[in-house]
Amino acid sequence: MKKYHQFWKLGRAELGTEFFDINKDGELIVREGNYQYNVNDLCTRFGTSLELVFPHIIEYRLQEIFTSFKAALRKYKYRGKFYFHYPMKANQNKEYVLPLISEGAHIETSSVNELWLVKRMWEQEQFSTKIKVLCNGPKTNRYLSLIEELKLKNLDIVPIIENHNELEYLRGYRGDVGIRWDPDVKVESHWDKQTDQFGFSTEQLLSIGKVRNLKLIHYHAGSMITKLDDLIAPVRKLMPVYIKMKKVNPQLNVVNLGGGFAVPYEKNKKMYVVDDVVKRIVKTIKSATDKAKIPNPDIIVEWGRWVVAPAQITVYSIIANKEITRNGHSKVPGRQWYFIDGSFMNDLLDTWSIHQKWHVVPVNNMSAKKFNRVWLAGSSCDSDDKYTNGGTHVLLPRLEDLSNGEPQRVAIFDTGAYQDALASHHCLLSSPAKLIIQNGVITVARKRETPEEVGKLFGW
């Protein structure tokens, strides 16, 4: 099995697959301590399409961040503190948020509805009174009112000022505030925009002057930043701005570096690792502030995608296949369409919207001798509902070689970030069932929707 373990790139910490393995029967398994989960058996038991969530992976990756920062702060004799704030937009499901809070994460919200969930948890005493909440995103009156309400209920909540309207409104806010800076740095990422609508330019920020109770400066340079140097460039550019702001606002003592830490969705590309990034961050900030002879600020990161994406896999069964043709008649040698019992456009919208590449492996028959080069097609009647791995192919076992009557199943890794919130019901297709798997216990968090339930969403 060792060669197949290597072939499918399982058990690789740098690829986020350290908990995944293959058993003697050529089936995908997931390990959690002494527990072991057979994905093929779960498909037989619960059917497909299926989302499998493993909270222990979330907890492990969060602790990896904490460990790296703790070591770096000690190594460089850094005198500030470190905090991780989980951006709820990455995945708002309860089964993701609560494990992170229990392991020491704080929270970042981007809308009034996300903050309403925080209010609910706060009122139900579901987390420690020491938790800190940052509020990003454009703020409606309802959002601002809820921030003030929760502040009066003694929640440690900090609104991040995005624009001049918020700046004026929050001048009377009785608590700490943050402000968002537009780094104007060129980085390689999925969302590399020349300009965006968030935050203040350096010139605008320095012209504002003193801001009552300004505690924090925040930026977000992009998502899925693929180069380590591109993660550090905005940190380096931030420090002169922070130093100038602190001269006018001496209470300023926190830098929030936002998100952007990339997930190695494509397992054939080398990616930076947590320790290297953290050391560069701490060293850069310490050097700048020591040179300016000011205290080292507390550091916040919001690496939500990196923490939660590998904690979920999405599983489908192959329901049909056909030869790929060009213009309806010319066959493409050695290539086939494999049709899944789900939809990329519905369940994994990034496939269609940003042409996301995924790590795709068979769930069963992983030790097959022969494979087909395939493109995957969803079950909607839309020609864009497909996955072609950027126009190349996916290797999967040949269906003609299967003899036990069991359908070929396929797992798509790293689907834990953003996909649920973006999911749709194109062609009124049902969403996958969702299982939460931890400590040997399997919980059905979402049943597969019936036609009646989907119809009700559209008024039927």
Side-chain angles (χ1 to χ4, degrees):
M1 290 295 112
K2 185 176 180 180
K3 67 176 182 178
Y4 294 106
H5 186 271
Q6 295 172 344
F7 182 79
W8 297 115
K9 295 182 172 61
L10 306 179
R12 302 272 294 274
E14 73 278 14
L15 300 179
T17 61
E18 59 264 58
F19 296 99
F20 296 86
D21 204 346
I22 178 174
N23 67 11
K24 61 181 179 59
D25 296 318
E27 297 168 325
L28 181 66
I29 59 173
V30 185
R31 300 190 187 279
E32 178 195 5
N34 291 325
Y35 293 108
Q36 176 175 297
Y37 310 103
N38 185 309
V39 176
N40 196 43
D41 287 350
L42 292 172
C43 293
T44 300
R45 180 178 171 186
F46 294 96
T48 53
S49 55
L50 194 61
E51 293 174 355
L52 306 179
V53 180
F54 302 95
H56 72 280
I57 297 179
I58 298 174
E59 296 166 359
Y60 177 87
R61 291 176 77 81
L62 177 61
Q63 288 304 319
E64 188 174 349
I65 293 174
F66 283 143
T67 300
S68 292
F69 267 100
K70 183 178 180 180
L73 297 182
R74 186 187 304 116
K75 174 181 175 67
Y76 294 108
K77 296 182 173 58
Y78 193 92
R79 292 179 177 83
K81 297 178 181 179
F82 167 71
Y83 300 95
F84 179 87
H85 280 251
Y86 174 62
M88 289 183 67
K89 62 181 174 287
N91 194 316
Q92 298 95 341
N93 281 287
K94 182 178 180 180
E95 295 81 12
Y96 285 75
V97 177
L98 293 184
L100 285 161
I101 291 174
S102 72
E103 293 298 312
H106 300 278
I107 293 294
E108 183 262 358
T109 66
S110 57
S111 72
V112 62
N113 287 351
E114 287 183 350
L115 188 57
W116 179 84
L117 293 178
V118 173
K119 175 187 176 182
R120 183 175 176 180
M121 290 186 287
W122 181 248
E123 292 175 342
Q124 294 175 353
E125 299 182 346
Q126 287 188 283
F127 48 57
S128 165
T129 56
K130 295 181 180 179
I131 197 163
K132 302 175 186 296
V133 178
L134 302 178
C135 298
N136 272 307
K139 295 168 191 67
T140 62
N141 288 336
R142 287 181 58 232
Y143 196 0
L144 289 165
S145 296
L146 187 53
I147 290 170
E148 292 178 310
E149 176 188 337
L150 290 172
K151 180 63 182 175
L152 290 173
K153 292 182 177 180
N154 297 316
L155 178 64
D156 188 348
I157 185 168
V158 178
I160 309 299
I161 298 167
E162 296 272 2
N163 53 52
H164 285 286
N165 289 339
E166 292 178 16
L167 177 63
E168 290 304 312
Y169 184 98
L170 291 166
R171 284 191 187 279
Y173 178 71
R174 296 182 179 275
D176 293 332
V177 299
I179 199 161
R180 181 161 174 172
W181 169 66
D182 179 1
D184 189 27
V185 174
K186 178 75 173 177
V187 298
E188 289 189 19
S189 82
H190 274 310
W191 290 267
D192 181 19
K193 304 292 192 301
Q194 291 184 348
T195 184
D196 64 37
Q197 65 270 42
F198 303 112
F200 297 87
S201 69
T202 299
E203 182 180 359
Q204 290 171 331
L205 206 56
L206 296 179
S207 69
I208 288 172
K210 188 171 180 60
V211 179
R212 184 174 181 267
N213 296 336
L214 181 62
K215 183 80 169 179
L216 175 154
I217 186 169
H218 164 68
Y219 73 79
H220 181 72
S223 295
M224 280 293 291
I225 298 173
T226 54
K227 293 182 179 179
L228 195 160
D229 285 345
D230 284 353
L231 273 176
I232 303 303
V235 182
R236 192 177 294 113
K237 191 170 182 179
L238 167 69
M239 296 320 297
V241 180
Y242 172 83
I243 292 165
K244 290 178 181 178
M245 291 282 291
K246 188 168 178 64
K247 288 180 180 179
V248 182
N249 300 273
Q251 73 278 18
L252 178 65
N253 69 348
V254 183
V255 293
N256 180 354
L257 312 183
F261 202 114
V263 171
Y265 291 102
E266 299 178 62
K267 304 307 182 189
N268 59 345
K269 285 189 175 182
K270 189 175 182 180
M271 188 68 70
Y272 48 73
V273 296
V274 175
D275 279 348
D276 291 344
V277 175
V278 170
K279 287 175 184 176
R280 290 277 299 274
I281 287 173
V282 172
K283 188 176 180 180
T284 299
I285 297 175
K286 179 173 173 59
S287 175
T289 50
D290 284 357
K291 186 176 180 180
K293 297 181 180 180
I294 61 175
N296 304 145
D298 292 346
I299 301 171
I300 292 172
V301 299
E302 301 175 1
W303 296 338
R305 179 192 298 270
W306 189 86
V307 170
V308 300
Q312 177 176 296
I313 61 175
T314 303
V315 186
Y316 301 103
S317 293
I318 305 301
I319 59 173
N321 66 310
K322 62 179 286 189
E323 292 179 321
I324 296 174
T325 60
R326 290 191 180 95
N327 301 321
H329 55 82
S330 176
K331 294 180 180 179
V332 180
R335 302 288 181 97
Q336 290 192 17
W337 287 107
Y338 277 18
F339 292 82
I340 61 171
D341 59 349
S343 167
F344 291 102
M345 292 185 73
N346 285 355
D347 312 334
L348 303 174
L349 189 64
D350 279 350
T351 313
W352 170 74
S353 62
I354 61 170
H355 308 294
Q356 179 63 63
K357 291 186 179 182
W358 306 97
H359 181 200
V360 181
V361 303
V363 167
N364 49 339
N365 307 302
M366 296 184 79
S367 52
K369 303 299 183 184
K370 296 181 179 180
F371 301 92
N372 280 330
R373 294 178 293 173
V374 309
W375 289 350
L376 297 171
S379 291
S380 77
C381 61
D382 198 304
S383 60
D384 285 326
D385 193 0
K386 62 187 176 184
Y387 179 69
T388 67
N389 196 28
T392 57
H393 62 270
V394 177
L395 281 180
L396 288 175
R398 299 197 329 174
L399 301 186
E400 55 267 36
D401 294 338
L402 307 184
S403 58
N404 61 3
E406 185 178 67
Q408 178 61 54
R409 288 150 179 162
V410 59
I412 299 177
F413 281 50
D414 303 314
T415 63
Y418 295 100
Q419 304 315 300
D420 268 16
L422 295 172
S424 63
H425 286 85
H426 185 40
C427 291
L428 292 192
L429 293 173
S430 301
S431 299
K434 182 187 289 289
L435 306 181
I436 312 300
I437 303 170
Q438 189 172 33
N439 299 325
V441 178
I442 300 171
T443 305
V444 179
R446 180 179 67 214
K447 294 182 179 179
R448 190 167 294 102
E449 296 164 311
T450 65
E452 291 81 6
E453 289 169 334
V454 177
K456 284 180 181 180
L457 298 175
F458 294 83
W460 291 94

